[in-house]
Amino acid sequence: MPNVNLDDETIERLDALRVEDESYDEIVTELINIYEAEEMTLQYGGDHAP
């Protein structure tokens, strides 16, 4: 797995989103899943121009 370096501001933002002892891997995976779900909704919802 690649290493990703985050600046302090990004870490603070991730910390604000974490629930209990959720790992950074878990929160990033959850954010990616949300992003992908919203992208699919927009793609198939007719909210975009062809």
Side-chain angles (χ1 to χ4, degrees), residues 3-36:
N3 288 331
V4 177
N5 296 317
L6 304 173
D7 61 25
D8 292 337
E9 180 182 351
T10 302
I11 292 171
E12 289 174 12
R13 292 176 70 186
L14 287 173
D15 284 340
L17 295 172
R18 289 170 67 183
V19 177
E20 297 176 7
D21 292 330
E22 190 174 33
S23 72
Y24 290 121
D25 286 344
E26 291 170 324
I27 190 73
V28 169
T29 299
E30 184 176 344
L31 290 170
I32 290 169
N33 289 340
I34 291 168
Y35 172 79
E36 288 176 343

